[in-house]
Amino acid sequence: DEVQLTATALDARTALAGANVPASTSPTRRLRVISESQLVEQVRAQLAGVRDSAKKLESEQRELGSDREAALGDTQIARSLAQRQEALLGRMKPLQQTLSQLQQRVARNRLDDPTLQGVLEDGLTLSQEAAQAASEATRQLSRAAEQTDPSLREPVEVAQRETELALSALVDALAQGDDDWTVRRSLEQ
């Protein structure tokens, strides 16, 4: 189903003054009406994209962690690793935005699906935790780029591990939500 909206406006002051100005008409706006199940499918499809992106980020974070030892002994390598860590952090922001937008869309449409709402809430929380940990890892690697100090090893390692764990938990949460939905959809059919 589709609803088409068009608005027409007339400047009352100009019309009262006797000027012959035609009314303005807006472009037609089309609103598609979809079923609840179609909305859930659209949200799930977007969540699958978020999960795939989170998997890639998790893999990249694991790779960054494996390069950590070399970075802690060489400021140039540490600087490069800090830049890569910061780039990974930047790629987390679109995930958070997508999850937030999906959460708003579900709320705006008053979708009563506690499982989906839980997946979105958990996903947003975990993506924020991953971003905070990645930010800390970037900060610690930047410190390591300024000085070769063995005491920086632990803070860098902890922050990178926390980032990887949060990304892994995000992937798992989104996969679990997808599994639950698949089972529920099969039962409904």
Side-chain angles (χ1 to χ4, degrees):
D1 293 333
E2 186 176 275
V3 176
Q4 295 183 6
L5 300 173
T6 305
T8 303
L10 180 64
D11 185 353
R13 285 183 153 192
T14 307
L16 288 174
N20 189 12
V21 178
S24 296
T25 304
S26 72
T28 301
R29 183 166 179 156
R30 299 178 202 293
L31 303 176
R32 271 187 12 168
V33 178
I34 61 173
S35 69
E36 185 174 309
S37 63
Q38 288 172 315
L39 176 60
V40 170
E41 284 184 33
Q42 288 177 2
V43 170
R44 289 287 177 191
Q46 285 185 283
L47 281 175
V50 170
R51 185 183 67 238
D52 291 344
S53 295
K55 278 182 186 178
K56 289 177 187 170
L57 291 173
E58 178 189 18
S59 175
E60 287 179 46
Q61 183 61 51
R62 194 172 300 115
E63 188 178 307
L64 288 171
S66 68
D67 295 343
R68 177 177 49 246
E69 286 303 316
L72 293 173
D74 185 328
T75 56
Q76 240 181 343
I77 295 173
R79 189 173 298 111
S80 172
L81 197 59
Q83 290 170 346
R84 289 171 51 206
Q85 186 73 57
E86 187 172 19
L88 185 132
L89 173 61
R91 288 191 303 280
M92 286 183 190
K93 294 198 185 309
L95 295 182
Q96 291 175 301
Q97 291 171 339
T98 300
L99 289 166
S100 179
Q101 289 168 351
L102 289 173
Q103 199 173 39
Q104 291 169 6
R105 184 176 182 196
V106 165
R108 185 176 54 246
N109 286 286
R110 297 184 190 122
L111 184 60
D112 185 28
D113 188 332
T115 302
L116 183 58
Q117 291 168 345
V119 167
L120 289 168
E121 189 173 314
D122 291 347
L124 192 54
T125 300
L126 290 167
S127 68
Q128 290 167 343
E129 289 174 11
Q132 287 172 348
S135 179
E136 179 62 16
T138 301
R139 192 175 75 72
Q140 294 297 339
L141 283 165
S142 293
R143 284 183 57 207
E146 295 170 6
Q147 57 186 336
T148 53
D149 182 357
S151 69
L152 294 174
R153 179 177 217 224
E154 187 178 342
V156 169
E157 185 176 341
V158 167
Q160 284 190 321
R161 273 225 170 96
E162 285 178 2
T163 304
E164 188 178 335
L165 289 172
L167 286 169
S168 180
L170 173 61
V171 169
D172 290 346
L174 295 175
Q176 180 64 40
D178 199 37
D179 292 344
D180 292 349
W181 178 74
T182 302
V183 169
R184 208 173 61 210
R185 186 169 180 216
S186 296
L187 292 173
E188 287 174 359
Q189 291 176 352

